[in-house]
Amino acid sequence: MIGRSSRLLAALLATVLVAGCGAAEAGPQPWHGGRIFLATGNTTGVYYQLGGGYADVISRHLPGYEARAEPTGASVENINRLASGDMEIAFSLADTAADAVAGRGAFEGQPQPVRALARVYSNYTHVIVRADAKITKLSGLRGKRVSTGSPKSGTDIIAGRLLTAAGLDPDRDVVRATLSLPETVKRMRAGTLDAMFFSGGLPTPGIADLLASAPGRYALLPIVDLMEPLTARHGSVYTTAELPKEVYRTRSGTPTVTVANVILVSADMPDQLAYDLTRLLFAYQADLVKVHPEAGNFTQQSASGTDPIPLHPGAARFYQRG
């Protein structure tokens, strides 16, 4: 993975070489040398798929720029890398991004200088248990082996909050493992985990593969009964929806907790670049839908509703112009 310092050095050397060759006076140079890195998530999740599609759109339709999607541990890691200048664009769950702006939770006392380009599709919280365990509610995970997602991910955060809302200490009352989605799926199949959490769009490829590999062996757990204690402590950032039975070919739909996703950039990104990156999301939305159907689940009106995460001024200008 290319670090920020080496990328800046490469851009500086390129500038020196051009000057040394007696090139004509150049206009404004592309920000960060024209390289845009997108912080996404696990390789079998929607962030990575959609991020790859967005990177392709940027590379093809934003002159002077080349973009690449990077797999990561998702939300918290993404925001940290965005704030440090290691990434130019980051996908994040809205609850994690709200914590970053306010300087709370994983960012306690350290508000992060991030801004939103758009609120996009919603993530559905998947809680999957072994069907033979006969677990019918989250409090039934007491003493069980549970993966709460990659370290510093939005999944790990919401899993901890849900376990707390169910009256469990996430670090004492379950045997907690913080694993990537591919590793979680591997261990669920091996029988070394009893349950797993994942917050993702529909369908999440890794989960689709797990459920299709052994029909009837696993069950999705309904968790909407935890909304009252969840919102009492964390506000209205969470909503509810039914995970349709058609998505993973389950016997019935599963009521679950949802949270919006946002696309973030740093506060110091040039306004025109932020405007153009926002414009591309809608000008080529049909191309993104071909990568993953969740790309069709936002509009200009819904995308501008990022509160409490401030819109980047360039993105705000795009929405104002309609």
Side-chain angles (χ1 to χ4, degrees):
M1 190 176 295
I2 302 174
R4 166 61 65 211
S5 60
S6 61
R7 286 155 53 195
L8 289 177
L9 178 60
L12 178 62
L13 288 174
T15 301
V16 171
L17 288 172
V18 169
C21 293
E25 184 177 346
Q29 295 301 301
W31 192 60
H32 288 183
R35 298 298 298 273
I36 292 178
F37 286 77
L38 291 82
T40 61
N42 291 190
T43 55
T44 56
V46 178
Y47 279 180
Y48 187 69
Q49 287 195 331
L50 194 54
Y54 190 23
D56 183 58
V57 164
I58 294 168
S59 296
R60 287 190 292 117
H61 300 292
L62 189 59
Y65 286 91
E66 180 181 349
R68 188 174 77 188
E70 292 282 335
T72 69
S75 297
V76 176
E77 178 186 336
N78 290 357
I79 291 172
N80 284 332
R81 295 181 69 178
L82 182 67
S84 73
D86 190 47
M87 294 281 158
E88 285 70 39
I89 300 174
F91 285 75
S92 174
L93 286 172
D95 57 347
T96 306
D99 283 353
V101 169
R104 62 177 181 244
F107 310 94
E108 186 65 39
Q110 296 181 317
Q112 301 298 304
V114 298
R115 300 293 183 266
L117 294 184
R119 172 178 176 163
V120 287
Y121 67 96
S122 290
N123 265 18
Y124 286 67
T125 305
H126 302 69
V127 182
I128 302 173
V129 298
R130 291 186 297 104
D132 61 6
K134 306 297 183 183
I135 297 170
T136 59
K137 54 185 180 179
L138 210 63
S139 58
L141 294 182
R142 185 181 298 274
K144 303 297 185 183
R145 301 163 298 178
V146 181
S147 172
T148 58
S150 298
K152 298 185 177 181
S153 68
T155 293
D156 193 35
I157 289 174
I158 195 171
R161 290 177 175 180
L162 284 165
L163 288 166
T164 300
L168 300 176
D169 183 320
D171 296 312
R172 295 183 179 182
D173 293 333
V174 300
V175 182
R176 186 176 190 174
T178 51
L179 304 170
S180 68
L181 181 56
E183 183 63 21
T184 295
V185 168
K186 179 180 177 181
R187 295 198 187 185
M188 287 290 287
R189 285 175 171 165
T192 56
L193 285 174
D194 301 303
M196 62 169 284
F197 287 79
F198 191 76
S199 180
L202 302 180
T204 291
I207 290 176
D209 290 345
L210 174 67
L211 298 180
S213 69
R217 184 177 178 185
Y218 308 105
L220 285 158
L221 198 64
I223 53 174
V224 293
D225 60 308
L226 299 174
M227 275 298 292
E228 184 175 344
L230 192 65
T231 56
R233 186 165 184 174
H234 302 289
S236 59
V237 69
Y238 298 110
T239 53
T240 62
E242 181 170 275
L243 202 164
K245 64 181 181 180
E246 294 81 10
V247 174
Y248 299 115
R249 298 182 181 180
T250 52
R251 291 182 179 179
S252 60
T254 306
T256 193
V257 172
T258 58
V259 60
N261 291 288
V262 287
I263 298 177
L264 304 173
V265 295
S266 64
D268 66 352
M269 175 177 278
D271 285 5
Q272 186 59 46
L273 178 56
Y275 176 94
D276 288 334
L277 290 172
T278 309
R279 175 182 57 81
L280 292 177
L281 284 171
F282 297 95
Y284 298 96
Q285 190 170 15
D287 291 354
L288 297 176
V289 171
K290 292 176 183 177
V291 174
H292 196 283
E294 287 286 18
N297 290 329
F298 59 91
T299 64
Q300 288 192 36
Q301 181 177 5
S302 67
S304 64
T306 62
D307 189 64
I309 306 134
L311 277 171
H312 190 288
R317 178 162 61 89
F318 171 81
Y319 295 118
Q320 289 163 1
R321 291 186 176 186

